[in-house]
Amino acid sequence: MAETDGPERICLGAHDLLAGRNSVAITVRGYHLLLVRDGERIVAAERACPHEGADLSLGQCVGGRLLCPRHLASFDLRDGSVSPGWSFRALRLFEIESASDGLWLRMK
């Protein structure tokens, strides 16, 4: 599914990868990620909640936040920060580029 163009940039596929869906789970180089549509923007996030590993693909995206289906914590899709009241690390986010030849993931 993924092609590489250098060590940090990975082609995910065509622009219609989400094809009318708000999110899609993908695996890239052994990383389990979730592509999420947040308005016009597409964000890639780690798929497992940092709290107890819940599958975030079972959650929802509402108002720029990704909701964990297990504990109802939520993550800001701009910086990964967790909602108030929780004391664990932020959700890891990855940059998605939209280019003429498709969607590209930047691994940092």
Side-chain angles (χ1 to χ4, degrees):
M1 175 168 114
E3 297 175 14
T4 61
D5 182 22
E8 295 184 337
R9 196 168 176 253
I10 303 165
C11 183
L12 299 177
H15 291 279
D16 64 352
L17 187 61
L18 280 115
R21 297 176 285 188
N22 288 325
S23 66
V24 64
I26 61 171
T27 301
V28 177
R29 290 191 186 168
Y31 290 94
H32 299 280
L33 302 175
L34 184 64
L35 291 182
V36 180
R37 184 179 311 281
D38 178 29
E40 296 297 314
R41 195 170 71 107
I42 297 175
V43 178
E46 64 182 312
R47 186 171 163 187
C49 177
H51 181 227
E52 289 185 357
D55 185 351
L56 294 175
S57 72
L58 300 175
Q60 298 177 13
C61 178
V62 177
R65 300 194 69 83
L66 181 60
L67 306 176
C68 176
R70 185 175 297 163
H71 297 103
L72 303 180
S74 67
F75 302 92
D76 190 315
L77 290 173
R78 292 172 296 174
D79 62 8
S81 60
V82 66
S83 51
W86 297 95
S87 59
F88 51 90
R89 71 169 173 78
L91 187 68
R92 289 186 186 108
L93 301 177
F94 301 89
E95 179 184 348
I96 297 292
E97 278 182 40
S98 181
S100 60
D101 56 349
L103 296 176
W104 291 81
L105 173 72
R106 283 209 178 269
M107 299 295 288
K108 295 178 182 181

